[in-house]
Amino acid sequence: MKKDIILAGVGGQGILSIATVIGEAALNEGLYLKQAEVHGMSQRGGDVQSNLRLSSEPIHSDLIAKGGADLIISLEPMEALRYISYLKPDGWIVTSSVPFLNIPDYPDITEVLEHIRAHKNHVLLDVETLAKEAGAPSQAANMVLLGAAIPMLGIDHDKMIAGVARVFARKGEEIVNKNIAAVEAGYHVSVK
C-alpha cells in the first residue's frame, strides 16, 4: 500500500489536524509515514500546503513529485487547483466547494469549481454546512473533509474513527463525539 497525499488550504482551517488524524490511523494500520513541513503562511488566512506519504514499505523522501500524488485533500477549492499538477491522472481531489475569500482578486468561483469538476475523480462538498447538520461546530469542517477522503485513503474506516477519538481525547468526550459526527457526515456523502 502506498498513498501520497497533498493537504491544502489556508491557515486556521485545520489542515494539520487532518494530517494528525490520518497519521494516527496509519500508524495503527502498521504503515510507515512521512510528512513534509507545512509550506506557506500558516497564520490565519495564508495559503498552506503539506505532503503526507503513507506506505507499507519504508519511505525515503517526505516530498511528493509533480504528477505523483494519489489524493489532494483541500479545505479551499482554489488551493486544490493550485496543486493539481502534483496529482496523478487517476488521482482524487476531495475539496470544499466554498471559497475562503481572503484576497481581493479571488477568481470566479464558478470557474474554479468547473476546473475541479473537469477532473474525473473528485468530491466537492460544503464542509461547514455538513458539520453544522451533523451537530458539530463549523470548526469541525476539516473532519467532514477527512471523512469524505476515507474511501480514497486505503485506511480502515474504524481505525480512522479511533484515530479521531485518540487525537481529540484530551479535549473531552463531547468534542470527540462532535468530531466523529463530522467525519461520519463527510464519509456518508463520499460513499453514496
Side-chain angles (χ1 to χ4, degrees):
M1 185 274 210
K2 182 174 132 340
K3 292 288 178 183
D4 289 334
I5 305 157
I6 300 283
L7 300 166
V10 297
Q13 287 187 307
I15 292 297
L16 292 178
S17 294
I18 292 173
T20 302
V21 171
I22 293 172
E24 181 72 26
L27 291 174
N28 268 349
E29 286 262 325
L31 298 173
Y32 292 90
L33 164 75
K34 287 236 183 198
Q35 181 180 1
E37 291 182 18
V38 172
H39 300 282
M41 299 175 61
S42 59
Q43 76 267 13
R44 186 166 300 280
D47 65 309
V48 176
Q49 181 267 347
S50 182
N51 291 286
L52 181 62
R53 304 189 72 205
L54 311 173
S55 179
S56 53
E57 303 295 323
I59 304 166
H60 301 291
S61 172
D62 56 357
L63 296 178
I64 300 168
K66 285 193 175 186
D70 298 292
L71 176 62
I72 294 173
I73 301 174
S74 180
L75 279 155
E76 208 293 320
M78 185 178 70
E79 294 301 322
L81 287 180
R82 183 186 308 266
Y83 299 102
I84 202 159
S85 65
Y86 285 85
L87 196 61
K88 290 178 179 176
D90 63 342
W92 280 85
I93 301 169
V94 179
T95 186
S96 173
S97 60
V98 179
F100 185 88
L101 300 173
N102 60 338
I103 55 174
D105 56 348
Y106 193 98
D108 177 40
I109 187 59
T110 304
E111 291 180 24
V112 170
L113 297 178
E114 283 176 12
H115 283 295
I116 292 168
R117 287 185 184 108
H119 189 76
K120 69 176 182 170
N121 297 326
H122 69 274
V123 176
L124 273 165
L125 60 165
D126 181 341
V127 291
E128 287 190 17
T129 298
L130 286 168
K132 289 176 188 171
E133 289 173 357
S138 61
Q139 296 95 322
N142 61 337
M143 292 297 108
V144 171
L145 193 68
L146 173 62
I150 289 174
M152 296 83 180
L153 288 169
I155 297 175
D156 180 73
H157 169 272
D158 292 340
K159 288 189 179 168
M160 194 66 73
I161 295 300
V164 171
R166 281 189 299 280
V167 167
F168 290 100
R170 65 181 171 77
K171 294 187 177 188
E173 186 177 347
E174 182 180 356
I175 298 298
V176 168
N177 291 337
K178 286 183 178 187
N179 279 281
I180 288 173
V183 169
E184 294 291 5
Y187 180 74
H188 291 296
V189 166
S190 186
V191 294
K192 281 186 180 178

